[in-house]
Amino acid sequence: LIEGFYPTAPNQLWVSDITYIVVGDGFVYLSLITDAYSRKIVGFYLSIDLAAEGCIRALDMALRSNPDLGKLIHHSDRGSQYCCSDYVGILNDNFIRISMTQNGDPKENAIAERVNGILKDELFEKVYANYELAVKGISIAISIYNHQRPHGSIDYLTPIEAHFRSGELKRRWKNYYSKKALEEVF
């Protein structure tokens, strides 16, 4: 549903993904929902496993913090968490249209992947000692990301600043792909 779609306001397109976090000598899993217009992380949950419950909790947070939704599209990869009846049921109950990647290519969920990279490269610890410290550290890092980190993709605004705007936000980065090449791809 999102191919060629560029949101012009918040709560038109949410992108979702799960990324792993190193805790001690194992992993936990962070479910994220990001507003594609503002780049604001609107929902997140750190889970000890890959069950759908972590994604559902992130979705519940996003819905609670954004009660006035219009025509919203939810985009994700084709992970079983996003396809399960409980998750799809919540989206349907809230009249949210469902979009998924066509072939699992990370480029088809590029904003979600970029947010994961920013968080891991700039704000998260490489390893957290335990789950409780990871929950606390990740919550603080996401707050910093939303309130303090400007993005070239949203006119050097922070996600929280962009989330209260509408209209086209100037993208301030070099485009390494020619328009013709992009047209050939799409």
Side-chain angles (χ1 to χ4, degrees):
L1 293 178
I2 68 164
E3 189 173 334
F5 175 72
Y6 297 97
T8 57
N11 297 323
Q12 292 178 344
L13 173 60
W14 288 351
V15 296
S16 299
D17 198 22
I18 303 169
T19 191
Y20 72 92
I21 306 294
V22 181
V23 174
D25 59 356
F27 299 100
V28 292
Y29 304 91
L30 179 62
S31 300
L32 292 166
I33 300 177
T34 303
D35 184 275
Y37 174 78
S38 66
R39 305 307 199 262
K40 180 184 178 209
I41 297 170
V42 293
F44 67 96
Y45 187 79
L46 189 64
S47 182
I48 59 171
D49 59 32
L50 280 169
E53 183 63 26
C55 294
I56 290 169
R57 288 185 179 217
L59 180 58
D60 287 342
M61 176 190 275
L63 292 169
R64 280 192 317 274
S65 64
N66 294 280
D68 297 323
L69 298 176
K71 293 184 177 184
L72 175 63
I73 299 171
H74 175 283
H75 183 73
S76 67
D77 60 23
R78 293 182 174 270
S80 61
Q81 300 87 343
Y82 302 116
C83 298
C84 78
S85 60
D86 290 341
Y87 199 89
V88 169
I90 294 168
L91 294 174
N92 287 333
D93 289 347
N94 287 278
F95 307 101
I96 299 170
R97 294 175 29 197
I98 301 168
S99 172
M100 293 187 171
T101 59
Q102 292 182 22
N103 61 19
D105 184 344
K107 292 177 184 174
E108 292 182 359
N109 203 7
I111 292 172
E113 297 291 344
R114 179 66 182 127
V115 170
N116 288 346
I118 290 168
L119 293 170
K120 285 182 159 185
D121 292 343
E122 298 177 21
L123 298 168
F124 290 170
E125 299 293 328
K126 298 297 180 210
V127 178
Y128 291 93
N130 58 48
Y131 176 79
E132 291 76 19
L133 290 174
V135 168
K136 183 178 180 181
I138 287 168
S139 295
I140 292 168
I142 289 174
S143 180
I144 292 168
Y145 169 91
N146 277 340
H147 292 90
Q148 296 179 21
R149 189 194 184 278
H151 292 258
S153 61
I154 54 173
D155 202 16
Y156 285 114
L157 299 170
T158 65
I160 198 76
E161 290 170 327
H163 204 71
F164 292 102
R165 303 227 177 165
S166 64
E168 186 176 345
L169 295 173
K170 184 169 176 62
R171 295 182 177 154
R172 298 181 182 272
W173 71 79
K174 181 174 176 154
N175 184 354
Y176 291 96
Y177 303 99
S178 70
K179 185 174 182 177
K180 183 178 181 192
L182 285 174
E183 289 170 356
E184 291 172 1
V185 171
F186 294 108

